[in-house]
Amino acid sequence: MLDVTVIEDPEAAAVSLDPVRARLLAELAAGPASAAMLAGQVGLPRQKVNYHLKALERHGLVELAGERRKGNVTERLMRATAASYVISPLALAAVQPDPDRFRDQLSARWLLALGARLVRDVGSLITGAAKARKRLATYALDGEVCFASAAERAAFVQELTAGVTALIRKYDAPDAGGGRDHRIVVAVHPTLKATEQD
């Protein structure tokens, strides 16, 4: 099972957003289960659970983990294909955010558009790398800092911008034969408090 996977197909996104199916995905992320086992956990008839499992399976969100005989019946044990899912902006291709439409480094909405592009691009790269059976070279840095004041935050942003810009100038080789372009996204935003995340 993958830790996280990206849903790019609009139909798969719609299937995953159904509350019953989302609950089944959560149950199956914890471990394989049959429709009968899930029926007891989610409080629905086995036939209804089976119907939802088939929809999830058609879109690659769950898969067969094995089969077992129970009396005269062969039970199919299903499992989630990932522990968690992210829906790519490609699922809403016609209205997906475009950070190139306007650039405002101090806009939270522009940051959101950049984040959406990051999900879309990395999701597509993961899909392509998986099909080609190749590793994907990525890097991420995540951290928190507590600024003493708005002035300190502004100074940090200025230094960060200067430092990253200097590194880009130093290593950028647009005319290098065989080189490959890479996107760099750096974000600074307030940390959500636990009560804001619920």
Side-chain angles (χ1 to χ4, degrees):
M1 175 190 310
L2 299 170
D3 179 46
V4 63
T5 195
V6 179
I7 298 171
E8 297 175 329
D9 178 61
E11 290 179 24
V15 164
S16 71
L17 290 172
D18 175 271
V20 171
R21 293 172 182 163
R23 172 86 191 276
L24 292 173
L25 283 174
E27 294 291 340
L28 291 172
S34 67
M37 294 163 65
L38 289 166
Q41 293 169 332
V42 299
L44 290 172
R46 182 188 54 78
Q47 294 86 351
K48 195 155 191 99
V49 169
N50 220 13
Y51 166 79
H52 290 298
L53 287 175
K54 286 184 188 312
L56 291 167
E57 187 177 19
R58 264 193 315 277
H59 293 285
L61 301 171
V62 301
E63 63 190 3
L64 184 65
E67 294 180 334
R68 70 177 181 191
R69 296 279 302 159
K70 195 167 184 187
N72 293 334
V73 178
T74 300
E75 279 191 326
R76 298 178 73 214
L77 295 172
M78 305 302 290
R79 70 175 164 227
T81 55
S84 56
Y85 301 86
V86 175
I87 297 176
S88 170
L90 285 176
L92 292 169
V95 292
Q96 67 180 304
D98 180 4
D100 294 330
R101 228 176 279 153
F102 76 99
R103 296 180 67 84
D104 180 356
Q105 290 178 303
L106 300 177
S107 166
R109 297 193 187 282
W110 189 62
L111 176 56
L112 189 60
L114 285 173
R117 181 176 64 193
L118 180 67
V119 168
R120 182 198 70 202
D121 291 356
V122 174
S124 294
L125 288 167
I126 288 170
T127 300
K131 286 179 184 171
R133 297 184 189 274
K134 292 189 175 182
R135 291 179 52 93
L136 181 61
T138 62
Y139 168 79
L141 176 65
D142 181 37
E144 288 188 35
V145 59
C146 182
F147 296 111
S149 66
E152 290 284 315
R153 180 189 172 280
F156 175 86
V157 168
Q158 193 171 19
E159 279 187 57
L160 181 65
T161 302
V164 172
T165 301
L167 282 170
I168 290 171
R169 280 194 202 112
K170 179 178 179 180
Y171 290 99
D172 188 26
D175 300 326
R180 182 164 184 191
D181 290 339
H182 284 70
R183 181 171 302 282
I184 299 163
V185 177
V186 178
V188 176
H189 63 81
T191 304
L192 280 177
K193 296 180 176 118
T195 56
E196 294 173 315
Q197 293 177 19
D198 297 331

